[in-house]
Amino acid sequence: MWTIPVLAPGQSKVIKYRVKAQAEGRVPTMVLVNAADVKKETHLDVEILRAMLQLKADGPVNDKGTVGQAANYRVVVENKGNADLKNVCVRCLFPPDMRPTKATQGGQPFKDSVQWIFRELKVGEVKEINVNLSTTTPGTRSVSFAAKADKGAEQRSAVKTLFAGVPALSWETDVPGTTGAGKNMIYKVTVANTGTAEAKATQLRIDLPENVDLVGTTPDAGRGSGQNAKMVIF
């Protein structure tokens, strides 16, 4: 209750008070002004709504990916409250060695993130967003997601993905020049793994021409027999 000793003609007085709703629903309010020969009562109803933005995110199957191949991440945002939300911002944040290769329309790419903004998300409305990310090195990556509207708390989630490397074999052949019959010729083959994972059980096969005989190899190699007598396998 407030008491105003004197209120002159044409004068006004502003009274402010702040309250905090304990739960959603209708809040009835009554204002009573009582003075000499004046009595006025006003009833007001205020509807308390709940802002609740829900965010769910998931990554590739079994949380595993492959170096050099795009991994798909999906995030779903839903308005679970009973108040419409505005200016809903959804962000995907990734490590500096990752890059987006594809994203749901409307995504704004930045150095280490992709962002979407929805002007409005009505009660019960759902938005699904997809983004494909790739990396050039093996290891575990953590991709984070965040969603924030004009009211309510920011929602966060993170997905970890283990990226496996991939072997990539290349080879070069050094062939001798012209030489005379009966002289030894040395052929050199250089095999390299330019990938991001070990190459296991690598086998090199050489088929010799009919008019040459194998003298020796470094390292030692297996030889074929019968119809495959001219075959050398490392």
Side-chain angles (χ1 to χ4, degrees), residues 6-12:
V6 177
L7 196 63
Q11 186 182 6
S12 62

Side-chain angles (χ1 to χ4, degrees), residues 100-109 114 116 129-132:
T101 61
K102 185 179 179 180
T104 296
Q105 185 177 2
Q108 298 174 290
V114 180
W116 296 262
I129 296 169
N130 287 272
V131 58
N132 289 358

Side-chain angles (χ1 to χ4, degrees), residues 84-89 118-121 148-151:
D84 291 344
L85 302 175
K86 299 183 182 299
N87 299 323
V88 180
C89 178
F118 303 101
R119 293 184 178 179
E120 187 176 36
L121 194 66
K148 183 74 171 68
D150 62 325
K151 46 184 171 284

Side-chain angles (χ1 to χ4, degrees), residues 94-99 111-112 134-142:
F94 44 82
D97 63 344
M98 299 187 78
R99 66 180 183 88
K111 182 179 179 180
D112 59 354
S134 67
T135 183
T136 57
T137 55
T140 300
R141 303 291 186 278
S142 181

Side-chain angles (χ1 to χ4, degrees), residues 2 12-14 21-22 27 35 63 72 78 145 164 169 193 220 223 232:
W2 293 268
S12 62
K13 184 74 173 181
V14 177
Q22 297 178 352
V27 178
D63 297 325
N72 177 257
E78 181 178 0
F145 299 89
L169 297 179
N193 181 4
D220 294 337
R223 297 189 59 177
V232 182

Side-chain angles (χ1 to χ4, degrees), residues 157-223:
S157 182
V159 177
K160 288 187 177 182
T161 306
L162 176 60
F163 286 88
V166 178
L169 297 179
S170 64
W171 58 89
E172 294 181 356
T173 304
D174 185 8
V175 181
T178 303
T179 186
K183 294 185 178 181
N184 290 341
M185 298 180 294
I186 298 177
Y187 289 79
K188 183 172 70 173
V189 179
T190 302
V191 181
N193 181 4
T194 58
T196 53
E198 291 184 351
K200 299 180 180 180
T202 302
Q203 187 179 81
L204 176 64
R205 169 183 159 178
I206 298 174
D207 293 323
L208 300 176
E210 289 294 332
N211 58 343
V212 301
D213 294 320
L214 180 66
V215 177
T217 64
T218 304
D220 294 337
R223 297 189 59 177

